[in-house]
Amino acid sequence: MKRLFLGLPIPDAHIDAIESYTNIYKADQHLQEAKWTLRENYHSTIFFLGEVVDAHIPEMQSILRGVAARMTPFELFCERIEFFAHKTPKMIWVRLQRSLAFLEINQECKKFMKPYLDMTQEEEMNEPIPHITVARLRKPVDPKHFSFKPFSMPPLPVNELCLYESLLTPTGPSYTILDRYPFNL
């Protein structure tokens, strides 16, 4: 069994922009206990697959190759950096604008991966919010007493889908790209 998800890789230039912006917050007293995302773990999740039987992975990879080949490259635009779960924030993320292209790839992946997964009706119905996780909060931060300055970065190019393995370790998650699926270029 492998713990898998589908996601979009983040180019180095975009990671540089995010890290340059977040460096000013890493020393802030409100965020002292934040667990900041490691550079190699930056991504935007399309769809979490969960625990997958190893024997199913080659067939899933073949299907995903076909799904990606039908997709047209697109861009995601940054809205802001914000807390997620506004009443008791659990994460800091770069919120990206919702787009039909992002929703389409999420829905296509759900449709074709559904036979391999144990999804609840609620999970099937959730509409994804495109984002890049920047930090996880160990201690709640009151968003009424803390806010982020405006943030912008160039549009994020989306021209491939990646299959990631997620390993949970005592020091935090580690993500490895198992396969890449280029869009119809």
Side-chain angles (χ1 to χ4, degrees):
M1 297 278 277
K2 286 187 170 58
R3 188 172 191 262
L4 305 177
F5 66 91
L6 299 169
L8 306 173
I10 308 301
D12 285 338
H14 291 75
I15 295 172
D16 291 344
I18 294 167
E19 288 184 336
S20 176
Y21 173 88
T22 58
N23 279 339
I24 62 171
Y25 293 103
K26 290 179 181 177
D28 189 286
Q29 66 178 2
H30 295 93
L31 303 175
Q32 285 297 306
E33 294 189 42
K35 174 84 170 137
W36 297 92
T37 300
L38 298 174
R39 182 177 187 86
E40 59 270 17
N41 283 346
Y42 274 95
H43 68 278
S44 180
T45 302
I46 292 288
F47 181 59
F48 182 72
L49 299 167
E51 296 290 332
V52 175
V53 176
D54 289 359
H56 292 164
I57 295 173
E59 186 175 341
M60 294 169 71
Q61 289 173 307
S62 177
I63 292 167
L64 290 166
R65 199 168 291 106
V67 168
R70 291 191 304 276
M71 294 291 146
T72 302
F74 62 96
E75 294 180 326
L76 288 171
F77 297 89
C78 174
E79 285 188 350
R80 62 190 167 274
I81 288 193
E82 66 180 4
F83 290 113
F84 175 69
H86 297 288
K87 291 185 182 181
T88 53
K90 293 179 173 53
M91 291 189 289
I92 300 169
W93 67 9
V94 176
R95 185 183 186 113
L96 304 168
Q97 288 181 351
R98 291 179 192 230
S99 73
L100 290 176
F102 185 89
L103 185 57
E104 177 187 8
I105 194 167
N106 171 271
Q107 295 303 314
E108 287 294 298
C109 289
K110 279 184 182 177
K111 178 172 70 175
F112 287 104
M113 294 295 104
K114 188 176 179 178
Y116 304 98
L117 310 175
D118 182 23
M119 287 185 356
T120 66
Q121 185 71 13
E122 182 180 327
E123 289 170 323
E124 286 185 58
M125 300 307 292
N126 284 347
E127 186 172 316
I129 299 171
H131 69 278
I132 303 165
T133 301
V134 174
R136 286 179 170 70
L137 302 174
R138 295 178 182 159
K139 184 173 116 181
V141 175
D142 186 347
K144 293 176 189 161
H145 302 299
F146 185 91
S147 62
F148 294 99
K149 294 178 181 171
F151 172 73
S152 66
M153 66 180 186
L156 180 67
V158 179
N159 53 26
E160 70 176 339
L161 173 66
C162 292
L163 176 63
Y164 288 84
E165 180 176 12
S166 172
L167 294 174
L168 301 178
T169 71
T171 57
S174 173
Y175 307 131
T176 303
I177 295 176
L178 297 181
D179 209 354
R180 293 175 179 269
Y181 311 103
F183 289 2
N184 179 15
L185 303 173

